[in-house]
Amino acid sequence: MPPTSSPLRLAIVGGGFTGAVLAIHAVRASTGPLDIVVLEPRPELGRGVAYSTRDPNHRINVPSDRLDIVAGETGAATAWLHAQGILPDPACEDGTGAYVPRADYGAYIGAVLAETLAAASDRVRLSHLRTTAAEVRGEAGAWQILTQSGERLAADRVALCFGHAVPALPCRLGPGVAESGRLVADPWAADALAGIGPEASVLVVGTGLTMADVVTSLGAGGHRGPITAVSRRGLLPKAHGLFRMDLDVVGTHPPATALDLLRLVRRQVASVDPALGWHPVVDSLRTALPDLWSSLPAAEKRRVVRRLLPFWEVHRFRIAPQIAAALTEARAAGRLLVERAAVTGLELGADGRIATLLRPGGGETTRRSFDAVVLCTGPERDVSRNPLVAALLADGTASLDAVGLGLAVDRRSHVLDRDGRPRPGLYAYGPMTRGSFGEMTGAPDIAQHIERTVGDLLAEPI
């Protein structure tokens, strides 16, 4: 018999990886009727920015056997990839596992969502609206949502799951730069690099994971011209090593300052068995980070973000072996040059190329011209630039975290209002909560946190 009680109405704002995994775990953890609406402009759920790419050179940067989204179902992702004929594939595999194209992992998330919904079809309904939320307001014990396309929705729970935004501009653009066709402002857009000729000189602004993808894609597409990648520190993402997350890296005296934290990591790396290397220290720290982060004073958290975050990111967010090999080859061949410099201006030169003002650290600004410029500075970090977030902040429904990386939430992902109180029925998950937890960007971390906390969302009284 179908359930007769009124369904719990869950609105998920953002249907990329985070939103899809929340839907999966909400369905699996619920026992009664559930009515889910997902607001996501893309045609497929589960892909978002990271997994919408169709470029086979864009690989997941974690082996597939570490990307399961349900605890206790070890190897599910890898088994699905084998069942679909995606694996085995020598191009994807090395000694640490299989690094498949990100599009394939996105397909896996979509398949798990479809299977989960089919298994609960007698009590769960999911609607996908290809739009975004313009307004979210609490009214009369419920939440009212106004979409960009004009729909009005009512929900008992709202989960904010929108993740990565396009890269921020590094500087003001001169007249004609944006319209020139030589500036790639969104490297994730379809055919974003198609206009770059094989001999073109390319400036890549940023030296992180996105830069690695762009350089790899250009090389695979036959590009032979010089590529210059710049960032303020010139840091490149590290390659993977041994995977372990079971080391006790904190001990009985957790650090109380940013300097203590830095010394702790250095001490642990220096003392670890050389056969393990530094990678297990970094990975093991992730498991302790939420507790450690919550105990740091706000001023010390800000010091970590200001001084240590770039160094943490290149060790924490490593690249697949195939991508690391492509970068090494490009640098050895002289096609890729990495420099420490800030971009202070982009102008359209008389020759039609982009004249770029570059200022090395402590040096004088120089003017250099490139045939194309690709922005790989990473997602826009100022979450308040999102119109919906700006509205939530303006009316006091939400507040920023102590370091300004995203929304303030408690340990169960309740959004905190301007007075620091949890808002009943309003939740946030994924990258926008990174500043509250210390880390919440990698797919495994997001999935594990959602699985641990989704019961609170379902159990909260209506």
Side-chain angles (χ1 to χ4, degrees):
M1 292 290 292
T4 57
S5 58
S6 298
L8 176 71
R9 300 169 299 175
L10 169 61
I12 300 177
V13 182
F17 174 85
T18 301
V21 169
L22 176 61
I24 291 167
H25 282 296
V27 173
R28 291 173 65 105
S30 64
T31 56
L34 187 60
D35 192 350
I36 304 173
V37 59
V38 183
L39 280 64
E40 169 55 52
R42 291 181 176 83
E44 297 179 73
L45 298 180
R47 291 191 177 273
V49 172
Y51 307 118
S52 288
T53 175
R54 300 296 178 175
D55 190 331
N57 298 291
H58 293 170
R59 298 182 179 276
I60 54 175
N61 62 335
V62 179
S64 62
D65 59 6
R66 303 183 68 84
L67 284 172
D68 299 315
I69 60 174
V70 178
E73 296 185 6
T74 304
T78 300
W80 184 88
L81 292 164
H82 277 279
Q84 301 303 308
I86 298 167
L87 292 178
D89 180 0
C92 296
E93 299 174 72
D94 83 332
T96 61
Y99 298 81
V100 300
R102 290 206 296 271
D104 293 330
Y105 186 62
Y108 167 69
I109 299 301
V112 174
L113 176 59
E115 293 168 3
T116 303
L117 292 170
S121 60
D122 60 330
R123 61 179 181 82
V124 175
R125 182 180 69 173
L126 183 143
S127 303
H128 174 195
L129 298 184
R130 293 190 60 185
T131 185
T132 58
E135 186 177 286
V136 173
R137 290 185 178 275
E139 295 180 5
W143 289 92
Q144 305 297 320
I145 303 168
L146 173 65
T147 74
Q148 292 285 1
S149 49
E151 296 98 338
R152 291 188 178 274
L153 311 172
D156 304 304
R157 310 280 190 276
V158 175
L160 306 177
C161 296
F162 43 88
H164 298 303
V166 298
L169 293 175
C171 59
R172 292 182 61 185
L173 303 183
V177 171
E179 299 78 21
S180 67
R182 295 180 179 273
L183 175 67
V184 179
D186 180 5
W188 303 120
D191 298 321
L193 308 178
I196 299 178
E199 303 294 340
S201 60
V202 181
L203 174 68
V204 178
V205 185
T207 59
L209 296 177
T210 307
M211 177 279 297
D213 281 340
V214 166
V215 171
T216 303
S217 293
L218 286 172
H223 180 265
R224 300 179 296 276
I227 302 172
T228 302
V230 301
S231 67
R232 296 180 187 277
R233 296 176 178 84
L235 298 173
L236 294 175
K238 306 294 185 180
H240 277 298
L242 182 68
F243 285 96
R244 277 188 60 177
M245 300 181 69
D246 60 346
L247 303 183
D248 180 8
V249 296
V250 178
T252 57
H253 301 289
T257 68
L259 182 58
D260 287 345
L261 177 59
L262 177 61
R263 288 170 171 166
L264 168 69
V265 175
R266 285 177 169 173
R267 185 168 62 250
Q268 292 289 357
V269 169
S271 64
V272 74
D273 184 342
L276 296 181
W278 58 264
H279 303 79
V281 174
V282 171
D283 291 340
S284 296
L285 183 62
R286 285 167 49 198
T287 62
L289 197 53
D291 289 333
L292 187 156
W293 189 252
S294 65
S295 67
L296 284 177
E300 294 302 321
K301 292 179 182 178
R302 289 191 287 271
R303 191 166 286 115
V304 169
V305 171
R306 187 170 63 251
R307 300 288 184 86
L308 302 180
L309 186 59
F311 300 95
W312 165 257
E313 288 183 333
V314 298
H315 289 83
R316 161 69 181 88
F317 300 107
R318 305 187 289 270
I319 51 178
Q322 298 87 344
I323 306 299
L327 291 185
T328 299
E329 180 182 351
R331 297 186 75 184
R335 289 195 308 109
L336 173 62
L337 178 66
V338 178
E339 298 182 13
R340 295 178 59 187
V343 177
T344 61
L346 294 174
E347 303 171 357
L348 195 60
D351 58 358
R353 304 168 78 205
I354 296 182
T356 307
L357 301 180
L358 295 172
R359 187 179 66 238
E364 295 184 358
T365 298
T366 61
R367 182 185 179 95
R368 293 157 63 181
S369 293
F370 297 89
D371 296 315
V373 175
V374 185
L375 301 186
C376 297
T377 52
E380 167 67 72
R381 284 185 173 172
D382 186 355
V383 70
S384 65
R385 290 182 182 269
N386 181 298
L388 174 58
V389 172
L392 292 170
L393 296 174
D395 66 16
T397 300
S399 59
L400 293 179
D401 61 57
V403 295
L405 289 180
L407 292 179
V409 298
D410 66 13
R411 295 293 291 272
R412 312 306 291 180
S413 267
H414 281 99
V415 171
L416 303 180
D417 66 17
R418 65 159 57 109
D419 297 318
R421 299 172 303 192
R423 288 303 304 261
L426 183 61
Y427 297 79
Y429 300 92
M432 79 175 79
T433 67
R434 181 182 188 183
S436 294
F437 293 103
E439 184 51 63
M440 194 58 70
T441 306
D445 298 325
I446 295 170
Q448 292 164 17
H449 173 73
I450 288 174
E451 186 170 14
R452 287 193 301 266
T453 60
V454 72
D456 294 83
L457 179 150
L458 297 171
E460 183 177 303
I462 297 177

